[in-house]
Amino acid sequence: MNLQLQDRLIPGTKLKRSDMDNLTGLDFLKRVFFVSEGVMLTQIRDISGIDSSTLQNWTKRGWVVNSRSKKYNMDQVAHILIINMLRSCMQLDHIDFLIHYINGKVDDTSDDIISDSGLYDYICRILSNMMDSEQVSLSNVRGLVEAVTTDYEEPVPGARDRLVRALEVIVVTYTAALLKRHADELFVELQQ
């Protein structure tokens, strides 16, 4: 099945790509953090659409690291956006497992095989390549993942395989989220 999906939003956000000069991934995060080393909870709500109680619940459950001085850094925001982009089509405990599979403990960066902002950038680059291609199918997602991650350097043996496998799950899940969003829009049209 060929996927001819277009995502008008920046993954994990409620922001239109066109309003941000079609930036995604690390370029988008750098724009958000251009003026400041951190963003406040209200800014995360504005970017992602996540309400404060949801973010506090994620923090309480250990899925998100607490802010420092009420500010979130780039990796924390990327981490939040990754959870947000997957949650409509994946159970939160599965997202939690996936994040641990990639980077171990959320509050310990010493066991990470990639920074959260680097992971978010790979996700966005893969998704952009998928949307730009006319010949993308679910059967060749792994090839796209491997092509985008050619510059990845393993900090430990086996890290690349873990990253590629996890990215494949993330990209397919987000594709399912796009399909779900499209189906929801079609359903709303039926009701009018």
Side-chain angles (χ1 to χ4, degrees):
M1 157 171 50
N2 282 345
L3 303 173
Q4 282 304 113
L5 295 174
Q6 292 300 314
D7 189 5
R8 67 184 187 288
L9 302 177
I10 297 168
T13 77
K14 65 178 190 175
L15 303 175
K16 292 181 181 175
R17 288 173 182 254
S18 59
D19 291 344
M20 295 298 292
D21 300 324
N22 289 316
L23 297 178
T24 65
L26 203 50
D27 292 332
F28 164 71
L29 290 172
K30 286 178 181 177
R31 166 111 17 124
V32 170
F33 285 88
F34 179 71
V35 177
S36 171
E37 292 289 317
V39 296
M40 306 289 283
L41 180 60
T42 54
Q43 292 167 299
I44 292 176
R45 278 195 328 247
D46 292 343
I47 292 168
S48 67
I50 300 170
D51 61 70
S52 301
S53 61
T54 298
L55 190 54
Q56 289 167 351
N57 182 32
W58 292 356
T59 303
K60 186 173 123 182
R61 290 177 179 234
W63 296 335
V64 173
V65 177
N66 277 322
S67 62
R68 291 201 176 130
S69 302
K70 298 186 178 186
K71 289 190 174 186
Y72 293 85
N73 66 31
M74 188 182 297
D75 281 325
Q76 289 171 306
V77 171
H79 186 89
I80 291 165
L81 295 179
I82 292 167
I83 294 172
N84 196 40
M85 68 188 287
L86 299 175
R87 70 184 180 139
S88 72
C89 284
M90 183 180 271
Q91 295 174 8
L92 286 171
D93 59 327
H94 292 181
I95 297 170
D96 180 50
F97 174 85
L98 192 58
I99 289 169
H100 281 88
Y101 178 80
I102 299 168
N103 279 339
K105 295 178 184 175
V106 174
D107 59 351
D108 180 6
T109 57
S110 69
D111 60 357
D112 291 2
I113 63 168
I114 189 170
S115 68
D116 287 314
S117 55
L119 178 63
Y120 182 72
D121 189 53
Y122 276 146
I123 294 165
C124 292
R125 287 171 42 200
I126 294 162
L127 291 169
S128 289
N129 286 353
M130 285 176 67
M131 288 176 212
D132 290 345
S133 175
E134 294 180 15
Q135 298 299 318
V136 174
S137 68
L138 289 177
S139 62
N140 65 6
V141 168
R142 187 174 189 106
L144 281 171
V145 170
E146 289 174 347
V148 168
T149 59
T150 55
D151 64 343
Y152 176 73
E153 294 182 22
E154 286 186 316
V156 294
R160 179 176 176 69
D161 184 56
R162 276 189 10 220
L163 178 63
V164 167
R165 292 174 67 193
L167 281 168
E168 188 175 11
V169 172
I170 290 168
V171 168
V172 170
T173 301
Y174 190 66
T175 302
L178 291 176
L179 288 169
K180 181 184 180 304
R181 187 187 319 152
H182 183 67
D184 290 345
E185 290 168 358
L186 290 173
F187 183 76
V188 167
E189 288 176 15
L190 286 178
Q191 293 177 315
Q192 294 176 352

